[in-house]
Amino acid sequence: MRFRRLRAIALKELLQIWRDPRSLMIALLMPFTQMFLLGYGVTLDLKHIPVCTFDREASQNSQSLLKHFEASSYFAIARNVRTYPELISAIDRSDCKIAIVVPPDFSERLNDTGTSSVQAILDATDDNTANIAYGYAVAIVSGYSNDVALDALGRQGGELQQIQPVAVQSRVWFNEDLDSRNFIIPGLVAVIMALVGAQLTSLTISREWERGTMELLVSTPVTPSEVMVGKLAPYLALGWIDASFCLIIATLWFGVPFRGTLFTLFATTTLFLTVVLGIGYLLSVLIRSQIGASQVALLLTMLPTTLLSGYVFPIDQMPTIIQDITYLVYSRYYVTIIKAIFLKGAGIAALAVPILFLLVYAAAVMTLAARAFRKRLD
Amino acid sequence: MNGPAQPAQAGKIDQVVAEDLVKRFGNFVAVDHVSFRIASGEIMGFLGPNGAGKSTIIRTLCGLLRPSSGRAIVAGIDVARDPEGVRQHIGYMSQKFSLYRDLTVEENLEFFGGIYSVPRAELRERMRFAIDMAGLAGREQAMVGTLAGGWLQRLALGCAVLHRPPILFLDEPTSGVEPASRRRFWDLIHNLASEGVTVLVSTHYMEEAEYCHRIALINHGRLIATGSPAKLKQTGIGGDLLLLECDALGPMLEALQHAPNVRDCSVFGDALHLLVDNAEKSLAEIPDFLASKGLHPRRISRISPSLEDVFVQLIAADVAAAGKAA
Ligand SMILES: Nc1ncnc2c1ncn2[C@@H]1O[C@H](COP(=O)(O)OP(=O)(O)O)[C@@H](O)[C@H]1O
Ligand SMILES: [Mg+2]
């Protein structure tokens, strides 16, 4: 790799981004609009979801679980019903969006097997609300079950020292007041970085093909890795700017605490950006049209990142098969990382595992991308 | 333009060699066993209709396409084996304009200066040279997309020679450019060649072929003739050409089909071109033959064939030969 050529490519790319309103819009405006749109969308609009409860056991345990729902600002208890028909009509009349049914053997099974379950019935006419309400319900139940687990260990005289990490984690992730903003906004930063990053670089090679400039570029001594690194460099800089925007909006506007260090944030963000920018670049190399590449980039990043990264829906509450799939979703590691940095103040060492996964991903994507670009027309 | 001068450094090694070059796209043969050599400082012109395979040959020589078989050697390097080794020695102007339209004149030059690692100490001076050559002095900050055709082509040439390559591949550099700009462009090519640069240039303008030291006629992926314009005009047609002026073309054309020793007869404007084996013999013979049919041409004279005549004739012969072979 030669610095002169790298610099020439990077400077040229920077000038082109600067003069292309579309790229600039994606790069600089999208973080703002997405932060505000999604930030409000997933927090304010979905507080006080009306919930019906049907406590078929009416024990101390079941009441204590339902208390968690009552205490949460996500849910407002609309009614306590005593029969299924009553529950169904409540949902039909839209008195509630979600109903929680505690089975008659709830405590019995909890005592016998250590696990138990409750039933959630959802009004799915508004799919999105239903999904999110379900996510919240799962979060609350898992918060409750953590309490139970801690209780049980405490009673058995287990070493409290040992279980401390679990306690800290459950508190920070689903903190007592269950402030969804703290839980969701850091993850949102990850989602935005993933979307914007892949979008931007998905255009960079296809643009050269479409405009006919590629034929000349490949006839020069420039190497594939110089093209790749030179082209990604300015987008990495844009990514840092975006990350700064997101950080500022998250902390100053939404009031999310930032307990980590800027160094950890930017180091891990750089790693994550390497992955997403590299994926966008790879798509751009493989699909020689700008529209095609950006559509595929959107598709490939949007769904996995929003559904499977754990940014709203906790991964450990998903079916095992889906949980296994999430290991392939690179955003998942960054969501873990960024939540831990924001809420727990985690440092590099504490994040070694997800960082390692991202490193592997980055290396694989870079290798593939550098190889996929052939200096040939056939 | 003073007509083609002789190659400045004739006798040196051949800078470009194609040996039995074949390029297939699937089953389609775009380049069909083509062989030629270009000497240092020589201007070789590729002449041929659209789809003949000119661009494909040039791209193969630049290492942008892998030859299906045969060899391409540029600057002494086997292109298929070491395409990267060739890059620094060549300048390329692709058929489609391929500078960055959203960059300024200066930014484009700086970009290619960086890509070719032109020594920093020399870059300013070479950019100056390229800007002057393109006639763009004072418009260094103009966005390239706003420039008209002639300037675009000269700037593209300027970018292609910024790193002083000994070999230039120019694929239809003057297409779509007005004649005055084309003349100017060819002056630039001749200046470069006189400094020893080897130039392979394709065109579909017949008159431009006259500016080349040597021409290769290409049709259907085959090289059907090579030689200097003078030599092609002398021998390429395989006979002598007569011009016959008359009042009624129809009956004359009809009658001449059966005239002795007339190999071909075609309408050319409001006159006829006759291809004959021997001009003197036919000049004596034809008026008598026509008189016997009651026809009297106004004038009949020997003319020297234009390149276009030669080209038309050679392609017709090539098509006939291919037809027979098939
Ligand atoms: N990449 C390609 N794939 C398939 N066919 C091609 C390709 N490039 C060129 N051709 C075909 O090869 C023939 C020669 O094309 P080209 O070299 O561009 O001709 P010219 O430059 O003389 O106009 C044409 O018929 C063209 O359609
Ligand atoms: Mg062509």
Side-chain angles (χ1 to χ4, degrees):
Chain A
M1 240 187 268
R2 220 192 257 196
F3 182 71
R4 271 299 287 288
R5 296 200 287 247
L6 215 74
R7 204 183 79 118
I9 297 267
L11 270 178
K12 184 222 80 170
E13 200 68 21
L14 197 62
L15 284 170
Q16 287 191 305
I17 300 169
W18 184 244
R19 286 175 191 155
D20 176 18
R22 191 181 149 191
S23 292
L24 264 190
M25 281 261 286
I26 298 180
L28 300 179
L29 236 56
M30 247 175 59
F32 279 98
T33 53
Q34 301 287 311
M35 271 308 265
F36 286 116
L37 261 168
L38 295 178
Y40 279 115
V42 296
T43 58
L44 294 191
D45 294 351
L46 286 174
K47 290 214 158 170
H48 312 294
I49 301 166
V51 59
C52 273
T53 60
F54 179 15
D55 187 353
R56 301 180 65 191
E57 187 181 67
S59 67
Q60 201 183 342
N61 279 335
S62 66
Q63 281 302 310
S64 143
L65 168 66
L66 293 178
K67 273 271 180 327
H68 278 75
F69 279 88
E70 214 178 315
S72 150
S73 56
Y74 292 117
F75 294 105
I77 306 283
R79 302 211 355 227
N80 296 305
V81 299
R82 277 183 301 274
T83 64
Y84 265 116
E86 223 182 316
L87 184 147
I88 289 163
S89 78
I91 288 181
D92 282 349
R93 277 179 288 140
S94 288
D95 286 350
C96 66
K97 285 270 170 217
I98 181 170
I100 303 293
V101 183
V102 183
D105 57 350
F106 180 71
S107 302
E108 194 182 318
R109 283 181 50 190
L110 197 60
N111 289 332
D112 288 358
T113 65
T115 64
S116 193
S117 60
V118 295
Q119 186 185 23
I121 298 169
L122 290 145
D123 172 7
T125 40
D126 176 359
D127 223 23
N128 205 30
T129 310
N131 268 333
I132 291 166
Y134 174 71
Y136 291 158
V138 166
I140 288 174
V141 171
S142 78
Y144 166 79
S145 63
N146 267 324
D147 288 354
V148 173
L150 283 177
D151 253 18
L153 275 171
R155 269 204 310 275
Q156 286 161 15
E159 230 176 282
L160 272 170
Q161 233 35 19
Q162 260 183 342
I163 55 166
Q164 201 59 19
V166 181
V168 171
Q169 205 174 19
S170 72
R171 290 258 152 65
V172 177
W173 280 42
F174 313 115
N175 30 21
E176 297 85 82
D177 55 345
L178 267 174
D179 189 341
S180 67
R181 284 182 182 175
N182 294 357
F183 162 62
I184 287 169
I185 299 274
L188 189 56
V189 176
V191 171
I192 290 169
M193 304 303 283
L195 292 185
V196 176
Q199 275 299 298
L200 282 175
T201 44
S202 70
L203 306 177
T204 179
I205 291 287
S206 39
R207 190 194 297 130
E208 305 248 5
W209 283 114
E210 278 182 9
R211 295 189 185 171
T213 51
M214 187 54 95
E215 177 150 0
L216 191 52
L217 189 60
V218 294
S219 80
T220 71
V222 77
T223 67
S225 22
E226 285 160 359
V227 172
M228 182 178 77
V229 177
K231 273 177 172 281
L232 293 190
Y235 292 106
L236 184 62
L238 271 182
W240 283 333
I241 295 176
D242 285 347
S244 312
F245 283 165
C246 290
L247 179 66
I248 290 168
I249 298 171
T251 52
L252 296 188
W253 187 267
F254 287 108
V256 176
F258 183 76
R259 301 194 174 110
T261 65
L262 284 178
F263 170 77
T264 323
L265 181 72
F266 276 84
T268 51
T269 299
T270 302
L271 184 57
F272 181 64
L273 280 170
T274 310
V275 175
V276 288
L277 295 176
I279 285 177
Y281 178 87
L282 181 62
L283 290 173
S284 196
V285 170
L286 298 177
I287 305 167
R288 290 183 182 184
S289 94
Q290 291 190 74
I291 298 277
S294 75
Q295 294 291 314
V296 174
L298 191 65
L299 217 80
L300 272 185
T301 45
M302 188 69 142
L303 289 180
T305 302
T306 48
L307 297 179
L308 301 178
S309 68
Y311 112 92
V312 174
F313 312 111
I315 289 173
D316 53 8
Q317 304 297 332
M318 296 172 182
T320 332
I321 281 207
I322 307 283
Q323 284 194 28
D324 290 345
I325 294 175
T326 63
Y327 284 104
L328 295 173
V329 180
Y330 47 86
S331 308
R332 152 192 184 145
Y333 306 107
Y334 186 56
V335 167
T336 308
I337 289 170
I338 204 166
K339 278 183 178 174
I341 295 176
F342 264 85
L343 304 177
K344 290 197 282 183
I348 300 279
L351 300 169
V353 173
I355 285 179
L356 210 68
F357 271 100
L358 277 185
L359 269 175
V360 171
Y361 236 111
V365 168
M366 288 291 115
T367 312
L368 277 179
R371 288 195 177 187
F373 182 70
R374 300 246 134 265
K375 286 181 69 186
R376 277 237 147 77
L377 302 172
D378 57 353
Chain B
M1 184 61 51
N2 303 318
Q6 273 316 293
Q9 297 171 321
K12 279 181 97 184
I13 54 141
D14 293 327
Q15 290 279 31
V16 179
V17 179
E19 281 174 1
D20 230 15
L21 207 57
V22 175
K23 178 65 193 177
R24 283 185 218 95
F25 295 110
N27 287 328
F28 177 72
V29 183
V31 178
D32 192 0
H33 298 278
V34 164
S35 304
F36 60 87
R37 299 173 157 263
I38 312 176
S40 191
E42 193 178 21
I43 303 174
M44 165 77 110
F46 272 12
L47 194 59
N50 270 332
K54 305 182 293 294
S55 298
T56 308
I57 298 176
I58 291 175
R59 286 171 172 159
T60 312
L61 292 172
C62 291
L64 302 180
L65 295 172
R66 182 186 285 277
S68 306
S69 70
R71 281 213 305 171
I73 295 159
V74 171
I77 300 167
D78 187 323
V79 183
R81 259 194 229 142
D82 183 15
E84 289 306 316
V86 172
R87 313 274 195 223
Q88 195 71 35
H89 301 283
I90 63 169
Y92 175 48
M93 255 181 87
S94 66
Q95 186 170 345
K96 188 165 179 267
F97 180 76
S98 40
L99 300 186
Y100 296 94
R101 288 173 189 271
D102 50 352
L103 262 53
T104 66
V105 169
E106 203 170 60
E107 286 161 356
N108 266 288
L109 287 164
E110 274 167 353
F111 174 70
F112 286 100
I115 288 291
Y116 282 108
S117 310
V118 174
R120 278 178 204 283
E122 291 174 36
L123 184 58
R124 286 293 133 195
E125 184 206 320
R126 292 207 205 164
M127 281 173 59
R128 195 70 255 155
F129 169 80
I131 288 167
D132 290 339
M133 183 176 91
L136 283 166
R139 303 183 65 179
E140 292 86 349
Q141 310 303 329
M143 213 55 83
V144 164
T146 65
L147 299 177
W151 276 292
L152 289 184
Q153 307 291 20
R154 291 194 296 271
L155 179 60
L157 182 65
C159 286
V161 300
L162 206 59
H163 58 295
R164 303 247 162 103
I167 302 164
L168 268 181
F169 293 106
L170 311 175
D171 195 358
E172 300 206 15
T174 55
S175 72
V177 173
E178 73 279 14
S181 282
R182 276 176 12 214
R183 292 294 296 259
R184 202 167 152 196
F185 194 91
W186 276 93
D187 285 338
L188 297 177
I189 295 180
H190 273 267
N191 290 342
L192 289 165
S194 68
E195 286 162 18
V197 176
T198 306
V199 182
L200 172 52
V201 52
S202 75
T203 178
H204 59 253
Y205 295 114
M206 289 292 169
E207 79 271 15
E208 288 190 348
E210 307 265 2
Y211 305 150
C212 301
H213 297 140
R214 211 146 54 89
I215 304 172
L217 292 181
I218 298 170
N219 193 41
H220 287 309
R222 277 192 308 270
L223 197 150
I224 55 182
T226 53
S228 67
K231 182 187 154 224
L232 279 179
K233 281 188 275 191
Q234 242 169 39
T235 61
I237 201 160
D240 293 336
L241 201 65
L242 303 182
L243 177 79
L244 187 149
E245 292 164 274
C246 61
D247 295 319
L249 284 178
M252 195 68 83
L253 195 61
E254 177 69 31
L256 282 166
Q257 303 290 327
H258 311 288
N261 300 320
V262 174
R263 298 213 325 248
D264 190 34
C265 178
S266 54
V267 181
F268 219 88
D270 55 0
L272 296 175
H273 278 188
L274 309 184
L275 178 63
V276 298
D277 295 325
N278 182 303
E280 264 132 68
K281 201 169 145 223
S282 292
L283 278 174
E285 204 169 75
I286 288 176
D288 291 345
F289 170 79
L290 288 175
S292 74
K293 306 261 175 191
L295 292 169
H296 300 281
R298 255 188 285 131
R299 211 159 80 90
I300 176 162
S301 56
R302 179 177 183 179
I303 54 168
S304 49
S306 69
L307 268 178
E308 193 162 358
D309 291 312
V310 175
F311 195 51
V312 168
Q313 196 56 44
L314 284 171
I315 285 187
D318 183 58
V319 169
K324 241 177 250 163

